[in-house]
Amino acid sequence: MFEDLIGPFLHYGFMQRALLGSLVLSVSCAPVGVFLMLRRMSLTGDAMAHAILPGAAVSFVLFGFQIIPMTIGGLIVGLLVALGSGLVSRFTVQKEDASMAAFYLISLAVGVLLVSWKGSSVDLMHVLFGSVLALNDAALTLIAAVAVITFLALAIFWRALVAECLDPLFLRSVSRIGTPVHLIFLTLVVLNLVGGFQALGTLLSVGLMMLPAAASRFWTNEVRAMCAIAIIIAAFSVLGGLLLSYHASLPSGPAIILTAGVIYALSALAGRRGMLSSALMSRRHKTA
């Protein structure tokens, strides 16, 4: 039993790199996912994950699988999509969710066409779903840098981020920091998606951000506690997913997200604020 759980990480360097990179990514992505969820922007994270694909694809066409160009390309296009959809929703009758959907669908189509034109189906799968077992020193350095930037930003703007989640109109009425904080938060989302892209690809990187955050909501109602629980759930998802991938010969990225999905389902069922607890509370009220 001990060998099955610990052995893969003791004997194989690629498993150690995958575990280290994914754990650091969990610590960085999970709190950002909590704020996305509280701001009712969960699907925005999914849209932004697709939006970085064209930038990564252009860099792939020009430079191949080079981490720095693909990271810069994904970051630039992700920020442009966020800004473009925001401008459309601000100066037209269209709502932000609709404009974001339009931008990300166009971006996804362009990115897939670019990768398919230059590379093969294997290259396309690598870009879309990542390769957590192939993380190198450059990828680990990028993920660590994203985590440091994220924690510094959260530490500095924590109160403003919480206030904007609860009542953004009030924050903007009493302070000029509302709009800058919103832009900083969107930048953090894009940064973490770009970091997650190195391990999980553009389609799955948002999974490690949103599933642990959504699961944490069933256990507590306090923001700091939600962030901590989301990090723990993400870490267990990484560990369980990598072990499942190793022993069952499954793709590592989908295995990690599937594990997070199982934890989400269990939390929804048996969490302190899940379905069973709600049913018991309802039954007690009826019998009281």
Side-chain angles (χ1 to χ4, degrees):
M1 185 68 176
F2 177 82
E3 180 65 22
D4 291 337
L5 294 176
I6 306 299
F9 304 109
L10 292 178
H11 302 315
Y12 300 103
F14 67 91
M15 290 293 287
Q16 296 170 7
R17 290 174 177 271
L19 180 63
L20 176 61
S22 300
L23 287 178
V24 174
L25 193 62
S26 300
V27 172
S28 177
C29 283
V32 175
V34 169
F35 282 105
L36 272 174
M37 177 188 63
L38 293 177
R39 294 159 66 99
R40 295 181 175 89
M41 294 174 62
S42 299
L43 292 179
T44 299
D46 184 57
M48 294 304 301
H50 293 76
I52 67 176
L53 180 58
V58 170
S59 300
F60 166 75
V61 169
L62 297 176
F63 303 101
F65 284 114
Q66 299 293 324
I67 185 170
I68 299 301
M70 292 182 75
T71 297
I72 294 174
L75 182 61
I76 291 174
V77 174
L79 292 175
L80 287 176
V81 168
L83 179 62
S85 62
L87 290 175
V88 169
S89 64
R90 183 179 179 86
F91 295 107
T92 70
V93 297
Q94 194 167 66
K95 300 296 184 181
E96 188 172 11
D97 60 339
S99 62
M100 180 65 74
F103 271 82
Y104 102 76
L105 287 171
I106 294 169
S107 298
L108 179 62
V110 171
V112 171
L113 287 175
L114 283 172
V115 178
S116 301
W117 168 61
K118 178 65 176 181
S120 64
S121 59
V122 175
D123 296 324
L124 180 60
M125 292 293 287
H126 180 85
V127 172
L128 291 178
F129 298 103
S131 182
V132 67
L133 297 180
L135 291 178
N136 54 24
D137 290 340
L140 291 176
T141 301
L142 171 67
I143 293 172
V146 169
V148 171
I149 293 171
T150 299
F151 264 81
L152 287 176
L154 289 178
I156 295 171
F157 299 105
W158 178 268
R159 289 180 178 272
L161 286 170
V162 173
E164 195 181 21
C165 287
L166 299 176
D167 195 340
L169 294 179
F170 172 76
L171 178 63
R172 293 173 189 177
S173 66
V174 300
S175 173
R176 296 181 179 179
I177 199 175
T179 299
V181 165
H182 182 68
L183 295 177
I184 290 170
F185 176 70
L186 288 178
T187 303
L188 289 180
V189 173
V190 175
L191 271 176
N192 279 274
L193 290 173
V194 169
F197 157 76
Q198 306 301 328
L200 300 171
T202 58
L203 295 186
L204 294 178
S205 58
V206 72
L208 198 60
M209 182 180 291
M210 294 311 309
L211 281 172
S216 70
R217 193 73 168 87
F218 295 112
W219 295 99
T220 183
N221 202 33
E222 202 272 321
V223 179
R224 291 183 188 273
M226 267 192 280
C227 290
I229 293 172
I231 291 173
I232 293 171
I233 291 174
F236 273 103
S237 301
V238 164
L239 182 61
L242 289 175
L243 288 173
L244 178 64
S245 171
Y246 176 82
H247 291 295
S249 299
L250 298 174
S252 52
I256 291 172
I257 303 306
L258 179 61
T259 305
V262 171
I263 297 176
Y264 169 82
L266 292 175
S267 299
L269 181 65
R272 290 178 57 190
R273 308 175 77 243
M275 289 185 287
L276 290 179
S277 295
S278 298
L280 288 174
M281 289 288 292
S282 177
R283 185 174 181 181
R284 287 174 184 173
H285 285 305
K286 288 180 180 180
T287 58

